[in-house]
Amino acid sequence: MKKYFFILAALATCAACNNDPVNPKGPNSPSDAVAAAKGNLVINEVSGNSKFVELYNICDKAVNLEGVTFIKNEEEGSLWTGVADQVLAAKSYLILYSNKTSLENPDANYTFAGGLSAKKNVKIEIFDAKGESIDAFVRDGATAWDTTLPEETDYGFSRVPDGTGEFVYAVETPGAANGEKVKDIDNSTN
């Protein structure tokens, strides 16, 4: 009986030391093998209401975020760039908050300048360190980026299911699995 208790205690200790999905310690640390962002990192949720973009690692390994960039509406320059030794643990979420959000942001390193709207055209795109597009979300009702579209203040734009599904309206779930589809998004591509 003591042997089983020791094994369970050791497993609990290991699980407790790997609780930071962005900079994990242990088997997914930056010094260990990590997967490339392209093909493994996706935009999973976009909120014009709470003003955040959620990235999701669909891979069974940590993903290297160094040099990954995030842009909005094909503007010049990135709004956020991953730094050296920054990884996202397997099957984990990364929330990038607008500096105009009303939500409390725990780390300024994950804040981007600019806003998001639930009623305007938007293109959110992420690129790997080589500058190759990884993933994009587009809500485009016309040619101008500031054109007003039908506003949905109760829901965010979410992939259902996480990481692989189409973008739909769903209840916002920053940092957690996306909920069920509420309805289709007007004028979106992904």
Side-chain angles (χ1 to χ4, degrees), residues 110-159:
Y110 303 105
T111 302
F112 63 89
L116 293 172
S117 173
K119 63 181 181 179
K120 293 184 180 179
N121 291 334
V122 68
K123 179 178 183 182
I124 305 294
E125 192 166 12
I126 54 175
F127 296 86
D128 66 12
K130 297 176 185 175
E132 295 179 28
S133 179
I134 298 173
D135 194 23
F137 166 78
V138 179
R139 184 175 189 224
D140 184 10
T143 56
W145 285 115
D146 62 355
T147 301
T148 300
L149 293 169
E151 182 175 18
E152 180 54 73
T153 58
D154 295 328
Y155 306 107
F157 310 118
S158 302
R159 283 190 191 270

